[in-house]
Amino acid sequence: ADCGPRASDRLRLVYNGIYDEQIRSYDVRSLPRRRGAALSAWARGGGDLTKGIELPNLLSPWQGTRVESVIDLQTFANLKTALQGDRFMGFKPVGLRLPSNEFYWVVTACIDGRFHANAWLYPSDRYKSLKFPKILIEQDKTGVEFSGAVPPARRDEDPTRHETDSNVSDGVFWLQLGPNGIVGARGRI
C-alpha cells in the first residue's frame, strides 16, 4: 500500500527450504542519503531443544534467529541488479503453486515506486539459474547454515512430499503466485 512514486526501495525475500526444516526471510530497506540498506535476516531451522525452553514461550526453540545489519550501497545495487538478471520484474509464472514441503524463493518488492512479486520453485531451470540468493547468503549473519535445495530423489522418503491433493489436517500448505502478489490456502488450491 505504501509503494508509490516517493517510496523508498524495499524488498522481502523468503526462502522455503521445506517449511518444517528451514525457512528464511530477508527484509531489505534502502537507507536515506545513499547509505546502503538495512537488512533484517531471519532464519529458522527444525528447532533447537538443547538451549531449553524460555517460559512462557513454549515455542522458543523454533522462533529462529534474527540479525539486523546494514549492507553498503554497492551490495544493495548488486542485489537489485541480480534480481533484474533473474527476471524478477519480467516473466512471472502466474498460477505457480508452491507447496510448503518443497524448496522455493518468493520475492516481493517496491522498487522505483512500483510493486513487484515473483517466485521460483525448485527444480526448475529458473530456480537453478538464480543469482540473488548468493548475495543474500553472503550477507547473512544469523549463523544458521543455509539448507540448499535437494533433488527429490535424494530426500528422505516422505509420502506427503509430492501429494497434490493434501488433507487440510496434514502439515502441508500451498502458496500461489497471483497477478498482484502471493495468495495462500491450506490443502488444495
Side-chain angles (χ1 to χ4, degrees):
D2 293 337
C3 189
R6 293 189 178 109
S8 60
D9 288 350
R10 296 182 74 137
L11 298 83
R12 172 166 267 197
L13 307 101
V14 176
Y15 174 70
N16 188 83
I18 301 180
Y19 187 81
D20 291 335
E21 295 177 23
Q22 184 168 105
I23 187 164
R24 308 175 87 87
S25 70
Y26 301 91
D27 291 301
V28 186
R29 180 181 41 83
S30 65
L31 294 170
R33 296 182 295 283
R34 300 181 49 83
R35 294 182 305 163
L39 171 65
S40 178
W42 174 79
R44 179 180 61 83
D48 184 358
L49 291 170
T50 63
K51 296 178 183 174
I53 296 175
E54 299 171 17
L55 296 176
N57 181 5
L58 298 177
L59 297 176
S60 62
W62 296 273
Q63 68 189 8
T65 302
R66 180 174 302 281
V67 175
E68 309 291 332
S69 62
V70 174
I71 58 175
D72 62 55
L73 190 59
Q74 186 61 56
T75 301
F76 188 41
N78 292 346
L79 177 60
K80 292 191 293 184
T81 298
L83 282 165
Q84 277 185 320
D86 293 334
R87 298 179 61 196
F88 168 62
M89 295 174 270
F91 173 75
K92 177 167 44 173
V94 173
L96 177 66
R97 292 171 46 132
L98 306 164
S100 63
N101 59 354
E102 293 293 338
F103 295 90
Y104 56 83
W105 280 95
V106 173
V107 180
T108 58
C110 179
I111 298 177
D112 297 328
R114 296 194 57 204
F115 178 79
H116 304 275
N118 212 324
W120 296 263
L121 177 63
Y122 181 83
S124 67
D125 289 339
R126 288 181 72 236
Y127 182 101
K128 292 176 184 177
S129 67
L130 288 175
K131 304 286 186 274
F132 76 83
K134 181 177 188 273
I135 296 168
L136 285 175
I137 293 163
E138 287 173 353
Q139 299 301 314
D140 187 319
K141 295 176 177 40
T142 61
V144 177
E145 186 177 344
F146 183 82
S147 176
V150 178
R154 292 188 40 215
R155 298 184 202 161
D156 294 337
E157 289 302 313
D158 177 354
T160 66
R161 186 148 310 198
H162 299 288
E163 288 182 4
T164 57
D165 190 13
S166 299
N167 183 324
V168 174
S169 66
D170 69 17
V172 178
F173 61 90
W174 298 80
L175 299 178
Q176 185 169 347
L177 185 60
N180 297 312
I182 307 298
V183 295
R186 284 197 62 79
R188 187 175 178 181
I189 292 182

